[in-house]
């Protein structure tokens, strides 16, 4: 890396985990009033993984983090960022405990709460820390355990969400080398905060002193409106980013979007003029894993060898907040670590 060039964040390792319990569409309770046929045709999801009782976000983040460090060939990192909206506790953050359990010493470690956009936001924070010399190597993890907050009577959320964790190691490098994160686009619109979220458990509710209802702790979503926003925000953000980094849509080799609904991903690809065959899909097997979604998809393709070094990868995500973000990456040579 030449001294006069800006330091880029370069993807050096990737790891992921999903909990062992598979829940197929047919396994979902009859009381939900849904069907395998409806879920497959309206979302593309065939199954998801739900954590067993006693498994928290930090446990999954730990395993994904271990695998990413192994994939990078070194456990030397000087920062940990954990994107999650289902932390182990409201306080303290989960990241310091994960860092300690990974044996990383006293590195700075913090949680980032931007729901399904979390991994892209966390990557951008890692890139910023690397660009400014605050860190040389950062472990970025996206992990969520939304099964702990699903309303068993709500078929809008119960059919979509799954649990999982994905992680990446990014290191200081050259903007031109394979693996470089070459640009980001981020955004938010808090006026849409009512469309998806968990109403209870925060200071907004606790400050009222009113007794909590069980449903306050559940995730709710106004699905149709979120669908429209997801399409608009992910396509808009992706277009802005492509322009910023000077990539034409036809030069993009793979499109890795937040895995919430295959119809959303195909619509965004169509709007961007990216062929549907270049859209990475793993939601059929894992559902919507929120902050883990993008790194789980990246881990999937790393293991399959579908991506080749130097290829252009466009990543984009959207989630509660509302928040959204996109990142442009050239693919590195990576060693997958699956167990
Ligand atoms: O990760 C954060 C971002 N999240 C997302 O991006 C998710 C975005 N939203 C979606 O993916 C979709 O809106 C859903 C999958 C949640 C819902 O699909 P939809 O095609 O938008 O359904 P809808 O809400 O417009 O409902 C259409 C019909 C309704 O019945 P009627 O009124 O037409 O008789 C619903 O009651 O489908 C019914 N319905 C269901 N039926 C069986 C809604 N959910 C279900 C279900 N099973 N799970």
């Amino acid at each position: 890396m030449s001294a006069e060039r800006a330091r880029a964040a370069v993807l050096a390792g990737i790891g992921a985990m999903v909990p062992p319990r598979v829940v197929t569409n047919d396994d979902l309770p009859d009381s939900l009033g849904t069907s395998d046929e409806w879920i497959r045709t309206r979302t593309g999801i065939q199954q998801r993984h739900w954590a067993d009782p006693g498994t928290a976000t930090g446990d999954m983040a730990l395993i994904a983090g271990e695998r990413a460090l192994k994939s990078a060939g070194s456990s030397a990192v000087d920062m940990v960022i954990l994107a999650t909206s289902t932390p182990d506790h409201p306080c303290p953050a989960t990241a310091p405990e994960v860092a300690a359990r990974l044996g990383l010493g006293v590195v700075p470690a913090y949680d980032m709460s931007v729901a399904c956009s979390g991994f892209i936001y966390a990557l951008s924070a890692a890139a910023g820390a690397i660009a400014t010399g605050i860190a040389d190597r950062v472990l970025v993890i996206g992990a969520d355990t939304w099964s702990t907050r699903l309303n068993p009577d709500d078929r809008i959320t119960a059919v979509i969400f799954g649990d999982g964790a994905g992680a990446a190691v990014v290191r200081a490098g050259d903007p031109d080398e394979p693996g470089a994160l070459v640009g980001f686009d981020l955004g938010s619109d808090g006026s849409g905060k009512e469309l998806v979220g968990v109403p209870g458990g925060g200071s907004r509710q606790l400050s009222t002193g009113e007794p909590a209802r069980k449903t306050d702790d559940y995730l709710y979503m106004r699905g149709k409106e979120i669908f429209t926003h997801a399409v608009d925000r992910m396509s808009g953000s992706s277009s802005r980013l492509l322009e910023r980094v000077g990539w034409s849509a036809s030069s993009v080799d793979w499109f890795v979007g937040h895995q919430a609904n295959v119809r959303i991903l195909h619509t965004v690809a169509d709007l961007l003029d990216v062929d549907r065959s270049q859209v990475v899909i793993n939601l059929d097997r894992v559902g919507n894993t929120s902050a883990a979604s993008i790194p789980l998809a990246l881990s999937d393709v790393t293991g399959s060898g579908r991506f080749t070094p130097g290829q252009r990868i466009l990543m984009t995500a959207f989630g509660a907040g509302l928040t959204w973000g996109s990142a442009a990456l050239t693919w590195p040579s990576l060693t997958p670590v699956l167990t």
Side-chain angles (χ1 to χ4, degrees):
M1 193 181 66
S2 58
E4 65 278 7
R5 297 196 61 151
R7 281 157 48 111
V10 174
L11 183 62
I14 196 98
M17 79 81 72
V18 284
R21 181 157 61 111
V22 173
V23 180
T24 68
N25 293 343
D26 286 328
D27 293 333
L28 293 167
D30 292 343
S31 56
L32 277 177
T34 189
S35 66
D36 176 56
E37 208 260 330
W38 192 95
I39 301 168
R40 276 174 197 259
T41 52
R42 303 301 292 174
T43 72
I45 295 167
Q46 299 178 24
Q47 63 172 49
R48 71 289 292 140
H49 294 248
W50 283 352
D52 283 321
T55 298
T57 296
D59 303 320
M60 298 192 301
L62 176 75
I63 295 171
E66 267 170 0
R67 290 176 182 169
L69 293 170
K70 260 193 218 165
S71 159
S74 164
S75 59
V77 292
D78 41 26
M79 181 178 284
V80 176
I81 309 173
L82 170 59
T84 184
S85 296
T86 52
D88 292 5
H89 310 281
C91 184
T94 305
E97 187 183 349
V98 171
R101 290 171 73 188
L102 284 168
L104 299 178
V106 293
V107 296
Y110 64 96
D111 289 3
M112 181 175 276
S113 174
V114 277
C116 304
S117 311
F119 187 73
I120 301 286
Y121 266 70
L123 273 184
S124 80
I130 285 172
T132 51
I134 294 171
D136 291 325
R137 294 172 71 89
V138 184
L139 176 61
V140 178
I141 309 174
D144 270 305
T145 320
W146 278 113
S147 68
T148 56
R149 289 195 175 273
L150 292 179
N151 182 341
D153 300 323
D154 179 8
R155 62 186 182 176
I156 296 288
T157 51
V159 304
I160 289 193
F161 285 91
D163 301 332
V169 174
V170 290
R171 62 161 173 84
D174 191 288
D176 293 333
E177 68 176 296
L181 283 150
V182 296
F184 292 92
D185 178 81
L186 304 176
S188 79
D189 178 6
S191 69
K193 78 171 181 119
E194 307 292 347
L195 299 180
V196 51
V198 177
S203 58
R204 177 68 61 202
Q205 183 200 44
L206 297 176
S207 63
T208 66
E210 286 169 17
R213 297 160 304 168
K214 178 65 191 154
T215 50
D216 292 340
D217 292 332
Y218 288 141
L219 177 70
Y220 69 90
M221 181 170 68
R222 284 168 35 193
K224 212 172 209 27
E225 288 153 279
I226 284 294
F227 188 112
T228 306
H229 277 284
V231 168
D232 289 351
R233 298 309 191 178
M234 289 200 290
S235 57
S237 174
S238 296
S239 296
R240 275 191 301 280
L241 178 59
L242 289 179
E243 196 173 331
R244 190 172 300 150
V245 300
W247 290 3
S248 64
S250 60
S251 76
V252 171
D253 293 293
W254 295 102
F255 174 67
V256 184
H258 172 53
Q259 306 280 313
N261 187 320
V262 72
R263 291 187 296 131
I264 295 176
L265 291 174
H266 283 162
T267 309
V268 173
D270 292 350
L271 287 167
L272 293 173
D273 223 4
V274 169
D275 196 87
R276 289 185 180 192
S277 64
Q278 294 162 272
V279 179
V280 171
I281 305 281
N282 73 339
L283 58 79
D284 52 328
R285 283 160 286 138
V286 298
N288 179 350
T289 55
S290 195
S293 182
I294 299 255
L296 269 178
L298 292 180
S299 169
D300 224 39
V301 292
T302 306
S304 74
R306 279 165 80 197
F307 289 12
T308 53
Q311 284 188 324
R312 290 181 167 183
I313 317 298
L314 172 63
M315 304 183 279
T316 188
F318 169 83
L322 306 171
T323 59
W324 56 88
S326 305
L329 167 76
T330 55
W331 192 247
S333 178
L334 285 182
T335 310
V337 175
L338 304 175
T339 53

